[in-house]
Amino acid sequence: MTGEKTEFKWVGTRAIRPDGHDKVTGRAKFGSDFALPGMLQGRVLRSPHAHARIRSIDTSAAEALPGVKGVITSADFADQPAELAAAGEALVNYRDMVRNVMAREKVLYDGHAVAAVAATSAEIAEAALELISVDYEVLDHVIDVDLAMEPGAPILDEELEPAGMEASGPTNIAKRVDFDLGDVEEGFAKAEVVLERSYTTAAVHQGYIEPHAAVASVSEDGQAQIWCCTQGQFMVRAYTARLCGMETSQIRVTPSEIGGGFGGKTVVYLEPLATALSRKTGRPVKMIMSREEVFRASGPTSAGSMTYRIGATRNGVITAFEGTIRLEAGAFPGSPVQPACMCAVAPYDIKNVRLTGYDVVVNRPKVAAYRAPGAPISAFGAESIIDELAKELGFDPLQLRLKNAAKQGTKAAYGPTFRRIGYEETVEQAIASEHYSAPLGPNQGRGVASGFWFNIGGESAATVNINEDGTAVVVSGNPDIGGSRASLALMAAEELGIDYTKVRPIIGDTSSVGYNFLTGGSRVTFATGLAVVEAARDAVRQMCERAAKIWEVESDGVIWRDGHAVPASSNVGDFEPLSLADIAAQSPKTGGPICGHNAQNVQGAGPGFATHICDVEVDPETGRVTILRYTAVQDVGRAIHPSYVEGQIQGGAVQGIGWALNEEYIYNERGQLENPGFLDYRIPVASDLPMIETVVVEVPNDRHPYGVRGVGEVPIVPPMAAVANAIENATGVRMEHLPMSPPRLLAALDAARLPEAAE
Amino acid sequence: MAKHHVTTTINGEPVEFLCSTRQTLLDVLRDELNLTGSKEGCASGDCGACSVMLDGRLVCSCLVLGAEAEGKSVETIEGMAEGDRLHPLQQNFLEDAALQCGICTPGFLVAAKALLERNPDPTETEVRYWLAGNLCRCTGYDKIIRAVMRTAAEVRGEAS
Ligand code: FES
Ligand code: FES
């Protein structure tokens, strides 16, 4: 399928996005912008304890408050069996999900929902929360992943049976995963240099600016409508149906514009509660999280702890890599430890690899996906130890990476043999960049790091409707977070041969378009894009048939060129080309509406690789790190809309910089989150940063008609190690813990200075 | 509880509304007046998504009480375009892809307009510090800063 198309009219242009005007004028409707007549306001009562047994809940006083129309607790949700159920490509355990949206036997983290109220105003709903009395038996808690694995640690779930290992008695370890390639003992035997290091990373939040919001309206016949900000309207429908005991066809979910997700909106929090409250009260119910609730009860991604060993020959061949990665999952199993293991050294052709991962439950919110889930954590350690190896061997860090680079035919430790990939190209371009050889000043340093993400395909469905005036509507089913409607419209315009402005892309609700797996895995431009291309081709095929009918020739005598049906050859006859508009105008007489359609489970996602270069300046007095210059090189396969490709790369890199330098959850000794706001959970602001330079490499994915790979996730993988390596380069101090915040770095600098001072 | 009757000007139009004592200007704009272009990202003055002009001063509308708008003039994102003509900042945000999800965009536009009105020739550093109160989690700020700098140059009549 590949290489079919390399010349483009629309693909690769920087067209204005179709949803743009609404977003610069304030017209666009986001999650909390939706309202219905007679709507109630819902609020959630949340646990103040990190770990406690719920002895009883008394809601009678709240129910008696004038204006309160309904109160729900876990008693309003049927329990779910402990089984993994397929939900799109993800696996979910509904037993855990029903407990996460509303605590049952126990609260497992500060912020865990225990009850919810719907009232005629937000003020009344909030007052009602204070009238609910919950009798808690407070239990010991554990938040640190290493402590949670120790014998004698407080146990979250007595019945937890770890997968992939034996356990003697209760444990917080939910799963062990193993990956083996070659023979690591033999690999280390061949090594002339062996390094062993440990690293840890803090839990961080996705930090989308738009808090979760949902409106649900259940009518007397049991039909429900939900409007919410989500990365997947079909996911919301499936989960809400299951938790509320409804049929899928009873629920219609309309996704609003979405104010960022980064993986954090691939799960449900408010939707089942709003639906249950609406059903109970007979009124529409709106629920919005406060920023504090977003931090205390949604996301984040795992904190991690890892130990790595790497071996290489003196001439720079990495012969073995061995590691153990421990990720906390929050209150319920399901950390991204598996992809963390799979991605750790995926950019490299290493013949002997052994990785063991542990998924561990702790008393903080159940983790949600965050941009390349798991990979940034494991890559922080892997790309740091490789940097140390380069230093030890006297190698330039990029040359060492190039020497060991994975390429077409490399067998990855996680299983597959790579098809054509562009990792080497990213390293070569980084080496060739002006940035890499630019001079540095005092207290300044340069670091590099690479990263990998699979990218995914998945279920995708799209319709291309040809309108009677020669325009087209593209209906697909993925919430657009970063300009994907523009990309889909560009591809449709390319196939149909009409002007981009004549193509209107919309995102359907769950009842108006076929099932689409959620927006995630960097899949939309690749997979939904493929469905759109195929649907447009289906419309083109129909239009060629219509032209054949008009010309009274065989349908294979007509081909499509530049938006027109033309005779395939002079043998067919001499006919004036028929434009798309001509054919559309005549469609009532030639067979009726022209609707192209495609639905498939898209396979063949093209792995993505990136290499980043970061310059820092370290203030030796305060430990403050300034990012001076940053370049991100990435293979994207094909950039459909280059501006949004660059934007994804820049945004991902900056999230990584925040993860590297500042972001972390801070708990008090009672396990309560102390920094649930943007003042104390500090994400990067404009004045922290330089411009983020991007180098877009295009090594086409051979499983997509235009070569698309996907772009959104890879850019968050390299930054943490790139920053750490730059700090080491500037100061000689190696940081093995994230975030590398000023107090931590200052302490490390002081520790390094002490021996000097003593001399 | 008795509500306050407030007379004010919003985007050049006289407006009257009723609000409770604890309702913020942001609540009033969004919930009472249906002007949902101003966004709530934090309600604590940390994200800038709710930025509006109050008597010519840039404020976080989540930190202003609705009652404080009495006798004052409020400008929101909804008043930025003139008829069907976008403000140059709006146009350049579109052309330069200075938004991804777009939730931060109204706040950035209002804040950037305020900057250019007081400083038509800002340096990159000045733009970055002026906009440091506006959080964007999607773009890494690069394209936003470029769009503001380009607009400033255009408004000054310099070719970009
Ligand atoms: S909502 Fe006002 S500053 Fe965030
Ligand atoms: S574009 Fe999403 S927060 Fe700025």
Side-chain angles (χ1 to χ4, degrees):
Chain A
M1 135 186 321
T2 184
E4 276 176 45
K5 245 180 127 70
T6 48
E7 295 284 310
F8 300 102
K9 176 149 190 246
W10 293 106
V11 165
T13 63
R14 298 177 187 255
I16 288 187
R17 58 197 284 170
D19 53 317
H21 284 73
D22 283 358
K23 286 186 174 157
V24 297
T25 54
R27 203 177 274 117
K29 293 274 179 241
F30 287 85
S32 65
D33 298 339
F34 196 79
L36 287 173
M39 189 172 77
L40 302 175
Q41 300 291 334
R43 288 291 184 273
V44 179
L45 180 69
R46 298 187 179 278
S47 167
H49 303 296
H51 193 191
R53 203 173 305 283
I54 300 175
R55 289 205 195 93
S56 65
I57 305 180
D58 182 356
T59 60
S60 54
E63 280 160 34
L65 186 71
V68 171
K69 299 296 175 188
V71 181
I72 55 169
T73 64
S74 62
D76 292 82
F77 296 94
D79 202 356
Q80 300 286 336
E83 65 180 54
L84 288 176
E89 279 195 341
L91 284 177
V92 291
N93 186 334
Y94 284 113
R95 175 180 183 269
D96 296 340
M97 192 189 296
V98 77
R99 281 167 175 72
N100 195 35
V101 300
M102 200 58 101
R104 293 182 95 82
E105 304 83 2
K106 274 173 151 190
V107 289
L108 294 168
Y109 52 94
D110 166 45
H112 200 161
V114 291
V117 175
T120 49
S121 75
E123 282 93 337
I124 296 173
E126 277 157 27
L129 295 184
E130 314 233 318
L131 299 174
I132 298 175
S133 64
V134 185
D135 184 11
Y136 291 108
E137 176 196 341
V138 178
L139 305 168
D140 289 341
H141 69 274
V142 62
I143 291 175
D144 179 85
V145 63
D146 291 320
L147 296 180
M149 290 174 76
E150 277 179 10
I155 295 295
L156 274 75
D157 181 357
E158 306 286 339
E159 285 163 30
L160 183 66
E161 300 240 3
M165 60 180 276
E166 297 289 318
S168 53
T171 175
N172 291 319
I173 302 174
K175 188 165 80 170
R176 173 185 160 140
V177 291
D178 290 281
F179 294 89
D180 263 297
L181 179 72
D183 182 335
V184 277
E185 272 72 36
E186 211 181 289
F188 280 113
K190 283 200 197 123
E192 292 160 308
V193 175
V194 176
L195 299 179
E196 181 170 339
R197 298 286 183 272
S198 294
Y199 305 90
T200 59
T201 68
V204 296
H205 196 274
Q206 295 82 350
Y208 32 83
I209 306 300
E210 179 200 38
H212 298 266
V215 175
S217 179
V218 185
S219 74
E220 289 68 15
D221 62 357
Q223 300 292 317
Q225 294 216 61
I226 300 172
W227 296 262
C228 59
C229 52
T230 177
Q231 290 177 244
Q233 62 272 47
F234 292 92
M235 173 276 297
V236 170
R237 182 179 71 170
Y239 293 177
T240 305
R242 177 71 178 244
L243 297 189
C244 293
M246 298 166 79
E247 287 176 0
T248 304
S249 64
Q250 284 180 290
I251 303 180
R252 177 178 178 190
V253 182
T254 306
S256 67
E257 294 297 339
I258 171 173
F262 315 107
K265 292 174 183 165
T266 59
V267 288
V268 291
Y269 299 107
L270 300 176
E271 294 86 350
L273 309 187
T275 303
L277 282 169
S278 177
R279 184 161 61 182
K280 197 160 192 170
T281 59
R283 305 262 294 265
V285 175
K286 180 172 184 170
M287 301 184 81
I288 308 174
M289 280 196 199
S290 67
R291 175 57 51 185
E292 180 183 323
E293 289 180 285
V294 171
F295 276 114
R296 286 174 64 208
S298 77
T301 193
S302 307
S305 156
M306 67 210 98
T307 306
Y308 290 149
R309 200 150 73 97
I310 193 167
T313 61
R314 281 269 161 218
N315 64 355
V317 175
I318 301 173
T319 56
F321 189 94
E322 188 178 28
T324 303
I325 301 173
R326 298 163 287 266
L327 297 192
E328 51 90 0
F332 300 98
S335 75
V337 71
Q338 186 149 337
C341 290
M342 293 162 87
C343 295
V345 288
Y348 306 104
D349 182 1
I350 307 175
K351 301 286 184 263
N352 308 293
V353 178
R354 181 189 296 148
L355 283 161
T356 303
Y358 292 97
D359 180 32
V360 184
V361 293
V362 303
N363 294 111
R364 89 164 117 222
K366 164 79 170 79
V367 299
Y370 180 23
R371 212 164 192 160
I377 302 169
S378 60
F380 164 60
E383 294 291 312
S384 294
I385 201 170
I386 287 172
D387 203 67
E388 284 206 60
L389 180 67
K391 201 173 170 188
E392 186 73 31
L393 297 173
F395 259 73
D396 170 272
L398 286 179
Q399 293 294 351
L400 182 67
R401 284 172 171 82
L402 195 57
K403 185 161 183 127
N404 292 281
K407 48 184 91 61
Q408 185 165 10
T410 296
K411 176 138 176 59
Y414 73 88
T417 299
F418 286 123
R419 310 194 310 269
R420 181 77 172 91
I421 53 173
Y423 175 54
E424 283 182 302
E425 284 81 350
T426 68
V427 183
E428 286 162 356
Q429 295 257 2
I431 292 171
S433 69
E434 183 266 319
H435 182 175
Y436 197 53
S437 50
L440 289 165
N443 296 319
Q444 299 183 350
R446 177 166 298 141
V448 296
S450 294
F452 159 83
W453 186 249
F454 316 90
N455 301 326
I456 65 166
E459 294 111 309
S460 306
T463 298
V464 174
N465 291 323
I466 305 298
N467 300 332
E468 56 276 23
D469 63 351
T471 59
V473 171
V474 175
V475 190
S476 62
N478 284 108
D480 170 3
I481 319 184
S484 58
R485 264 166 295 194
S487 300
L488 300 181
L490 285 169
M491 290 190 271
E494 195 72 51
E495 291 295 326
L496 297 173
I498 59 175
D499 201 277
Y500 165 78
T501 58
K502 296 203 182 304
V503 179
R504 193 72 198 161
I506 68 143
I507 295 157
D509 63 63
T510 52
S511 300
S512 61
V513 62
Y515 183 93
N516 278 269
F517 184 62
L518 50 75
T519 297
S522 303
R523 69 174 288 280
V524 176
T525 303
F526 164 66
T528 302
L530 187 65
V532 167
V533 167
E534 298 286 342
R537 289 179 178 179
D538 184 29
V540 162
R541 186 186 50 71
Q542 294 172 37
M543 290 188 286
C544 288
E545 279 170 12
R546 303 300 176 90
K549 226 179 209 171
I550 294 166
W551 292 336
E552 298 180 345
V553 301
E554 293 295 320
S555 56
D556 59 5
V558 181
I559 57 167
W560 195 255
R561 185 182 300 150
D562 292 335
H564 293 75
V566 295
S569 70
S570 52
N571 297 342
V572 177
D574 191 14
F575 299 105
E576 276 295 300
L578 281 170
S579 71
L580 181 144
D582 296 333
I583 297 169
Q586 296 188 52
S587 65
K589 290 180 295 192
T590 58
I594 299 165
C595 308
H597 187 65
N598 185 263
Q600 57 177 309
N601 191 347
V602 177
Q603 307 296 317
F609 292 88
T611 300
H612 290 193
I613 312 169
C614 174
D615 292 357
V616 300
E617 181 167 321
V618 179
D619 180 347
E621 304 299 314
T622 62
R624 183 192 147 97
V625 175
T626 305
I627 306 289
L628 298 174
R629 187 170 178 185
Y630 202 98
T631 300
V633 190
Q634 186 175 328
D635 173 25
V636 305
R638 172 86 60 206
I640 301 297
H641 192 305
S643 298
Y644 292 108
V645 167
E646 293 160 3
Q648 287 291 323
I649 294 174
Q650 291 163 336
V654 167
Q655 280 185 318
I657 289 170
W659 199 334
L661 291 179
N662 278 306
E663 296 179 36
E664 66 180 315
Y665 276 37
I666 298 166
Y667 291 93
N668 65 20
E669 72 284 358
R670 294 165 61 200
Q672 293 160 325
L673 186 61
E674 296 248 277
N675 59 336
F678 282 134
L679 189 61
D680 301 315
Y681 182 93
R682 196 177 180 292
I683 72 173
V685 304
S687 54
D688 293 340
L689 297 161
M691 295 296 183
I692 306 295
E693 297 160 58
T694 57
V695 180
V696 173
V697 175
E698 292 185 311
V699 175
N701 171 15
D702 61 6
R703 306 291 174 87
H704 184 280
Y706 303 163
V708 170
R709 288 182 186 273
V711 59
E713 286 165 295
V714 186
I716 200 173
V717 183
M720 285 76 94
V723 174
N725 295 342
I727 291 173
E728 194 280 335
N729 187 244
T731 64
V733 169
R734 168 65 55 186
M735 296 300 287
E736 292 170 339
H737 180 84
L738 297 184
M740 300 172 281
S741 52
R744 271 206 199 94
L745 180 53
L746 189 61
L749 291 172
D750 285 344
R753 281 190 283 243
L754 271 184
E756 278 174 40
E759 269 170 30
Chain B
M1 205 197 304
K3 293 207 169 187
H4 302 272
H5 177 263
V6 178
T7 307
T8 178
T9 307
I10 298 182
N11 298 325
E13 299 287 332
V15 173
E16 291 175 52
F17 59 81
L18 294 176
C19 70
S20 71
T21 305
R22 57 170 272 188
Q23 264 179 312
T24 64
L25 177 57
L26 179 62
D27 294 335
V28 170
L29 290 172
R30 292 180 52 81
D31 302 338
E32 308 298 328
L33 303 174
N34 263 319
L35 293 168
T36 56
S38 304
K39 303 301 180 191
E40 180 175 309
C42 69
S44 55
D46 298 315
C47 79
C50 63
S51 299
V52 303
M53 299 300 284
L54 187 65
D55 270 358
R57 213 161 58 87
L58 179 65
V59 297
C60 294
S61 60
C62 70
L63 297 183
V64 176
L65 290 174
E68 289 181 78
E70 172 66 40
K72 297 210 166 86
S73 152
V74 182
E75 285 170 61
T76 72
I77 185 67
E78 285 90 348
M80 196 158 165
E82 280 182 42
D84 65 353
R85 243 191 48 243
L86 294 181
H87 185 279
L89 277 166
Q90 292 173 308
Q91 184 64 33
N92 289 342
F93 265 54
L94 288 182
E95 288 176 6
D96 296 353
L99 54 143
Q100 284 177 31
C101 78
I103 193 84
C104 67
T105 309
F108 270 99
L109 286 167
V110 169
K113 181 167 176 265
L115 167 65
L116 298 191
E117 278 163 7
R118 73 157 57 193
N119 179 0
D121 192 8
T123 63
E124 182 189 327
T125 304
E126 286 170 333
V127 176
R128 287 187 179 276
Y129 275 89
W130 182 270
L131 296 177
N134 290 80
L135 299 180
C136 174
R137 191 60 158 173
C138 298
T139 63
Y141 304 101
D142 183 301
K143 291 183 189 306
I144 295 175
I145 305 300
R146 286 178 199 280
V148 175
M149 300 287 290
R150 183 163 81 89
T151 309
E154 278 178 17
V155 171
R156 291 195 308 271
E158 295 163 19
S160 52

